[in-house]
Amino acid sequence: MTTEHHEQDLAALEQRFQARIDAEEKIEPKDWMPEKYRQNLIRQISQHAHSEVIGMQPEGNWITRAPSLHRKCILLAKVQDEGGHGLYLYSAAETLGASREEMNQALHDGRAKYASIFNYPALTWADIGAIGWLVDGAAIVNQVSLQRTSYGPYARGMVRICKEESFHQRQGYHIMMTLARGTAEQKAMAQDSLNRFWWPSLMMFGPHDAESAHSAQSMKWKIKRQSNDELRQKFVDQSVKQAEVIGLSIPDPDLQWNEQRGHYDFGDIDWEEFNRVINGDGPCNRQRLAHHVKAHEEGQWVRDAISAHEAKKRQRNDRQAA
Amino acid sequence: MSEHMKLYEVFIRSRRGLDHKHVGSLHAEDPAQALEYARDVYTRRSEGVSIWVVNSSDIVASQEGDCESFYDPLDDKPYRHATHYQLPDEVNNM
Amino acid sequence: MNAANRHEAVLQYAVRLGDDALVLGHRLSEWCSNAPFLEEDLALTNVALDYIGRARMFYSYAAELSGDGRSEDSFAYLRDCREFTNLLLHELPRGDFAFTMARQYLVDEYALAFMEALLESADPQLAGIAAKAVKESRYHLRRSRDWMLRLGDGTEESHRRLQSAIDDLWGYTHELFELDELEQELVAAGIAVDSAALRPAWDAAVRATLDEATIAVPAGDWSVRGGRQGIHTESLGHLLSELQFMQRAYPGLEW
């Protein structure tokens, strides 16, 4: 085939691909897809998976200290779910030809990112409430939108995750509600936590649409279905009421209902902080990565033992068969 | 992970009377372990009454390129569908 | 044993079994986000959840028997080291993955037989808890036994680690099969499990597994005991200081 022919074919394939996307058909693993679509998806899905798995740490840090057995079970089940969600997502990325090992390596090398929110420390029990309410709340807004993403395995993973996550946000809010109705000290603990997690939660939706590196192409390919700013607005709108109901105040003096827009206006996000944290200079970046690397390295001999055992078993079976 | 463990596809029957449905994949040493992990990973809310695990490399899949010869020929037989037959309203729930 | 004494004895027995389950569940929960790979992380957490759930059932029953307003959390959060009565094997720090799995295997062989026997208890509530626990332990044992074979007959390193774990654990297994006066009386009343009677079958099963895993059975020349009397390893105090931190720092609050 000449190059010219090849290019023509490619253009035709891309056109057919885009037509399929425009018609709201899902793309499935064995379908032809532009290499950039594949790469873009692997980047986004693995980043999402890493976020789930790194996200186990701030909350995991409270499992052994949960204040009641009931809360302990809820938290343990919740953190386990995050691990499960990571696994569903790795599984979706693997259908695109990325191996779990490669994705792990990219995380450890700092080539792959994860949600910057998890680089903030969970210092008090109220933070477990705030993380569930706000961080999972923000994640759900994003994930609900992604249930309609164009790549089939990713969309199906999202449906599954959304179904499981609804309890995550509710349990977090329930913790905050209990604290807000408790003693003055407990209420202060809840307010302090809201103060620390509010702005980082807004940052979870990423840069403004105009500045988002991957947004335009991702929207065209329907990997993303709604823009960062749209989703962020949705989150702010729903959270204001939720804070009000339990008598906590959102730490934003510019927050105000805008009758004309039918939405809340809110203050400027500190993008300098966002960039600093996403690029490695947040309060816990080093610990989060070190924790993951350590668990992975300490698990090496276990994984080696599995392969060795499996090989021995196979040899024995072969000998018996012979 | 791929260097250590095989990839398995997981199928779950959520209720008696329903088909097994593909839910995702996981890594395991052998089919027995894959079955256990499928239980731990994919049925945390008792979503299943039966689990199948299949070594991913054992699945033979049709290719997109086969579509025309595989499925199009089946597309010209509208008489195989119930909606092909216009019946009077009184008996249309047949 | 008169009725009042028996009532108190059953309460204490339930607390003992609750303590066993809680401290082991705590140790297992420490693996969350630290397991060798993600699938195993989820699986270990399931076992941890089973054990903490088991602790809650035993404590809730004890709370009900106490009739003085205590709750499951009173038992977990408001007793000090000397009042905890778990068998020591359950509280040992999690160690490496070989240690955790070896301990789990030894416990699972015991727990399954124990809970099967508790099904026959004259106390319907204890028998009810056992019915749930039996199903869980059957699955736990299947898992931990497989891991024994994998690690024992895996690489040189995994073999060495597993052997050393079994060696370090062995001396803590003896008290699993010892009954003090309280338990003897409850056995006589048909309520408690005669754990001494479980030993021969446990020995045989464990020896068979170790043999298949190419692990040597340790010489039985050392033993540590005292859990049921509240004589613990030093590690339990640290476990409790973490477990109870919130309730101790902010006494009497709802969370």
Side-chain angles (χ1 to χ4, degrees), chain A residues 20 32 80-81 87-88 91 94 99-101 160 164 167 300 303-304 306-307 309-310 313, chain B residues 1-7 23-27 29-30 33 41-42 44-45 47 61 63-64:
Chain A
R20 181 174 267 177
W32 183 88
Q80 182 196 38
D81 272 352
L87 201 138
Y88 304 161
S91 156
E94 281 172 284
S99 78
R100 184 104 61 94
E101 189 68 23
R160 202 178 174 80
E164 297 187 354
F167 110 75
Q300 187 64 44
R303 298 190 300 275
D304 288 343
I306 290 183
S307 337
H309 181 70
E310 211 270 332
K313 242 178 15 190
Chain B
M1 197 61 103
S2 48
E3 67 194 66
H4 288 288
M5 288 188 263
K6 289 197 272 293
L7 190 62
V23 293
S25 64
L26 52 77
H27 291 269
E29 174 209 343
D30 57 23
Q33 193 187 35
V41 170
Y42 286 103
R44 296 195 303 288
R45 289 168 175 76
E47 291 94 334
Q63 299 296 309
E64 196 197 11

Side-chain angles (χ1 to χ4, degrees), chain A residues 57-219:
Chain A
Q57 291 181 35
E59 290 174 285
N61 143 65
W62 274 92
I63 289 171
T64 54
R65 290 179 293 167
S68 72
L69 292 179
H70 183 55
R71 290 282 185 212
K72 187 189 288 291
C73 287
I74 294 171
L75 184 59
L76 194 50
K78 191 210 170 221
V79 178
Q80 182 196 38
D81 272 352
E82 310 294 1
H85 298 168
L87 201 138
Y88 304 161
L89 288 160
Y90 285 127
S91 156
E94 281 172 284
T95 63
L96 292 160
S99 78
R100 184 104 61 94
E101 189 68 23
E102 283 161 14
M103 291 186 272
N104 252 326
Q105 200 53 54
L107 174 65
H108 293 175
D109 295 347
R111 280 177 289 131
K113 302 240 184 292
Y114 55 86
S116 63
I117 188 93
F118 300 119
N119 291 315
Y120 292 86
L123 300 175
T124 67
W125 175 250
D127 290 0
I128 299 307
I131 290 174
W133 171 35
L134 300 173
V135 178
D136 288 282
I140 290 170
V141 167
N142 190 35
Q143 285 164 177
V144 163
S145 173
L146 284 172
Q147 291 183 105
R148 296 190 301 123
T149 189
S150 59
Y151 187 56
Y154 192 22
R156 291 190 288 274
M158 280 301 124
V159 170
R160 202 178 174 80
I161 288 172
C162 283
K163 211 158 47 178
E164 297 187 354
E165 286 239 343
S166 63
F167 110 75
H168 294 184
Q169 189 185 15
R170 293 171 71 95
Q171 66 85 32
Y173 187 74
H174 193 268
I175 289 175
M176 291 302 255
M177 188 175 78
T178 309
L179 297 186
R181 289 176 181 169
T183 62
E185 196 177 16
Q186 284 176 304
K187 186 164 183 183
M189 190 189 269
Q191 183 62 53
D192 167 63
S193 185
L194 171 56
N195 294 349
R196 283 181 289 114
F197 277 92
W198 175 252
W199 290 104
S201 300
L202 296 196
M203 294 177 197
M204 283 177 71
F205 296 94
H208 283 310
D209 298 343
E211 279 124 53
S212 176
H214 306 282
S215 271
Q217 185 57 355
S218 289
M219 294 285 279

Side-chain angles (χ1 to χ4, degrees), chain C residues 119-228:
Chain C
L119 282 174
E120 310 300 324
S121 172
D123 184 305
Q125 254 118 331
L126 291 177
I129 297 171
K132 182 158 191 305
V134 161
K135 288 186 213 158
E136 296 165 351
S137 284
R138 205 167 278 145
Y139 182 72
H140 301 166
L141 176 60
R142 178 173 152 173
R143 260 178 50 79
S144 61
R145 189 172 187 284
D146 280 350
W147 271 115
M148 294 292 284
L149 306 185
R150 273 186 212 111
L151 299 182
D153 193 20
T155 61
E156 255 175 62
E157 180 177 7
S158 69
H159 179 90
R160 176 175 56 71
R161 284 175 183 266
L162 186 62
Q163 182 69 62
S164 124
I166 288 288
D167 291 346
D168 290 345
L169 286 159
W170 202 251
Y172 293 96
T173 60
H174 305 290
E175 73 168 349
L176 300 178
F177 307 100
E178 291 165 358
L179 295 93
D180 63 2
E181 201 178 328
L182 178 132
E183 288 187 22
Q184 281 166 5
E185 282 176 14
L186 285 176
V187 168
I191 291 170
V193 172
D194 180 6
S195 53
L198 306 176
R199 178 137 214 179
W202 183 88
D203 264 332
V206 168
R207 274 161 207 276
T209 301
L210 292 183
D211 187 52
E212 196 180 338
T214 72
I215 294 291
V217 178
D221 58 358
W222 66 283
S223 63
V224 184
R225 40 175 63 78
R228 293 287 190 236

Side-chain angles (χ1 to χ4, degrees), chain C residues 15 18 20 27-28 33 35 37 51 55 76 109 115 117 125 127 142 184 186 188 197 212 214 229:
Chain C
V15 170
D20 284 344
R27 289 305 186 202
L28 287 164
S33 85
F37 49 97
Y51 269 96
E109 284 283 9
M115 291 299 165
Q125 254 118 331
R142 178 173 152 173
Q184 281 166 5
L186 285 176
E212 196 180 338
T214 72
Q229 282 70 50

